[in-house]
């Protein structure tokens, strides 16, 4: 829970301490909008996967096929939604939030990729828990935490909130690699 907290809030803490409240507002809205495809589909679907993976844990062949099918289904849904959001986001922000919120668009463009990465986590975590490997789920969280926090301060110093967003993406990529 501690690692999950710092993964989920560490970026906001860094921006809040190092940058302005305005930058934090842009970042938080960008994060919320960028995560819509991953959260709305993957998280719900991931909750259904846990009992299925637990039931299949003694049949590695079926488990592998189920995991691959679930992965394909989630990515077949989340990828077009994310890429579509990438295309319409500038106009969406301009129309619904106004011109003054346009600085959050580059942040959201980066964080959309983090949403795609997290989509995989929403499949992998139920798999790890379902097959009785919760420690591996913890290892991936620790790796994400380390990956993010190695880069977050230097990238935020160099590039502002855009650097923070890249640090978050790097942390997610490290987690998925493991």
């Amino acid at each position: 829970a501690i690692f999950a907290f710092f993964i989920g809030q560490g970026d906001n803490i860094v921006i809040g301490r190092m940058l302005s409240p305005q930058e934090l507002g842009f970042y938080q809205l960008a994060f919320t909008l960028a995560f819509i495809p991953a959260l709305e589909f993957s998280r719900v679907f991931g909750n259904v996967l846990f009992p299925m993976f637990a039931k299949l844990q003694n049949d590695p062949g079926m488990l592998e096929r189920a995991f691959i099918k679930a992965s394909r289904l989630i990515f077949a849904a989340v990828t077009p939604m994310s890429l579509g959001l990438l295309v319409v986001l500038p106009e969406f922000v301009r129309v619904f939030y106004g011109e003054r919120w346009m600085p959050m668009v580059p942040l959201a463009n980066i964080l959309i990729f983090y949403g795609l990465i997290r989509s995989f986590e929403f499949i992998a975590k139920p798999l790890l828990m379902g097959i009785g490997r919760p420690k591996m789920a913890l290892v991936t969280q620790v790796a994400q935490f380390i990956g993010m926090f190695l880069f977050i301060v230097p990238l935020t110093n160099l590039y502002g909130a855009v650097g923070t967003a890249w640090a978050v993406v790097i942390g997610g990529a490290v987690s998925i690699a493991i």
Side-chain angles (χ1 to χ4, degrees):
I2 293 168
F3 287 109
F5 172 79
F6 282 110
I7 290 168
Q9 296 302 315
D11 49 350
N12 294 322
I13 293 168
V14 169
I15 291 175
R17 296 285 296 160
M18 294 178 67
L19 304 175
S20 69
Q22 182 179 12
E23 285 291 317
L24 180 58
F26 289 144
Y27 183 85
Q28 287 182 332
L29 181 59
F31 196 96
T32 300
L33 290 174
F35 241 64
I36 288 172
L39 282 178
E40 295 306 318
F41 191 80
S42 302
R43 183 176 278 176
V44 172
F45 196 64
N47 290 336
V48 174
L49 292 175
F50 170 68
M52 181 181 71
F53 290 150
K55 190 173 185 175
L56 295 174
Q57 69 179 316
N58 295 322
D59 186 346
M62 283 289 289
L63 182 65
E64 180 181 1
R65 286 190 294 280
F67 180 75
I68 290 169
K69 283 182 183 181
S71 299
R72 286 179 180 162
L73 176 64
I74 287 177
F75 287 119
V78 173
T79 302
M81 287 190 292
S82 295
L83 295 177
L85 181 60
L86 198 62
V87 171
V88 302
L89 188 66
E91 202 55 39
F92 178 85
V93 170
R94 187 173 285 111
V95 168
F96 290 102
Y97 290 96
E99 203 63 41
R100 69 182 183 170
W101 285 93
M102 290 305 288
M104 58 78 62
V105 172
L107 298 169
N109 288 340
I110 296 165
L111 292 168
I112 285 171
F113 292 103
Y114 181 60
L116 282 168
I117 290 170
R118 288 293 302 266
S119 296
F120 185 76
E121 180 185 322
F122 292 137
I123 307 163
K125 191 170 185 177
L127 172 69
L128 294 171
M129 301 301 276
I131 63 171
R133 303 274 312 265
K135 287 183 182 175
M136 189 62 190
L138 175 62
V139 167
T140 62
Q141 272 193 322
V142 171
Q144 182 174 0
F145 172 80
I146 292 169
M148 182 172 120
F149 279 95
L150 282 176
F151 293 97
I152 198 164
V153 171
L155 289 177
T156 302
N157 270 332
L158 289 171
Y159 305 109
V162 168
T164 306
W166 279 115
V168 168
V169 171
I170 290 167
V174 168
S175 173
I176 294 306
I178 290 174

